[in-house]
Amino acid sequence: MRLRILTWHVHGSYLYYLTQAPHEFYLPVKPSKPEGYGGRLGGFAWGDNVHDIAADDVRHQSFDCILFQSRRNYEIDQYEILSEAQRQLPRLYLEHDPPRQHPTDTQHVVDDPNLLLVHVTHFNRLMWDSNRTPTCVIEHGVIVPEDIEYSGDLARGLVVANGLRTRGRRLGSDVFQAACQQVPLDLVGMDATSLGGLGEIPHAQLAAFQSRYRFFFHPVRYTSLGLAVCEAMMLGLPIVGLATTELTTVIQNHVSGYVNTNVDALIQFMQELIADPDLAKRLGQQAKADAKARFNIQRFVQDWQNAFEQAIALSTSPLSLTSCS
C-alpha cells in the first residue's frame, strides 16, 4: 500500500534517501522556514512523491502515519500542527544521533509502547535507554551516480562536515586541525571556510567533487555514522577515521581503510596513502564493495517498508513490544 507520510525536513541528505521509498511524503512548511519547516529545500533532486504542505493546512489533510525526526517534532510540533485524531495515527520516531547528555544512561524522550523508535546504527540503539518503546535499526542507504568513478589523482584527503568549527571536539575539529599540520586535507561543508576549508558543495555535485581525492578522513569522536562516509565508500574512496562509535564495524584496517584512536597513527597512515596511490585504490575498491553490500538503497528501502508495516501493527496492537534488527 502506498502510504501518505507526514514528516519534517531535519536532515536533508537522509530525507532525500528516505524518499526513495515508494510512498508519498508531505513536508510542513512555514514562511520563514524555521527549524524543520524548510520543505523541499534546494540542492536535492526531489521526486514527484515529495510534497510541501503549509503547516496550517496539515490538520486538514489525511495521512497514514507520522514520522518524527527530532525532539522538537515530538514535544512541540505535533501539538502545534496535528489534530488530535492525527496524533493517534501510526507513529515512528527516527533518532539520528547517539545520546548526548550521558553515553549510557540517557533516557530517550519517547517512552511509548505503541510507537516505533528507529535508530540508524546498532551503536546508537545500544547506547540509548529507549524505555518501553519498541526499537529497530535501519542502517544507511545511499546512492551515487553510476557514471562517476574514483580516480584518486588529487594527492589530498577530504573531510566533509557541516559546522565543524562550532560543533567542536565532538566532531573532531581539533583532530582535523592537528592533522592539517602534517597531511594535505580539504574541508567542505557549511561554514568550512571558517577553518580554512573550501565551503559548501551542493549534494548533487559532491560525488564528482570527491571522486578525485586520494582518501576520505572522518575525524569525528562521537556521532552517528556519517552519510558522507557511506557515499565516499560507494565511490571507492578508502576511509581513515577515529575508531569510535559505528565506524569500527564498517572499516577493516588495511583492507578498506584504517581506524584507530591514536591520531598519530592516523596521520602516518594518511601520509602513506598520499605517497602510494595504488594502495589507496586497492583499499578503496574493497570499501566500495563493502558499501554496495551494506549500504545499498534497495536494502534501505526494504527496511523502511518493514518499519512502516511494524508501526501500523503497533498502532492496532497496543500491547505489542516486538522489535526488529
Side-chain angles (χ1 to χ4, degrees), residues 14 18 92 94-95 116-122 136-141 299-308 324-325:
Y14 193 101
L18 173 62
L92 306 91
L94 171 58
E95 176 54 70
L116 181 62
L117 177 57
V118 180
H119 292 292
V120 299
T121 70
H122 288 278
C136 73
V137 174
I138 299 180
E139 294 194 322
H140 291 326
R299 189 274 310 154
F300 177 75
V301 166
Q302 185 57 58
D303 284 354
W304 269 106
Q305 293 279 71
N306 296 341
F308 289 130
C324 61
S325 61

Side-chain angles (χ1 to χ4, degrees), residues 4 10 21 45 53 65 68 178 213 232 238:
R4 293 167 58 88
V10 172
I53 179 172
C65 67
F68 305 108
Y213 280 84

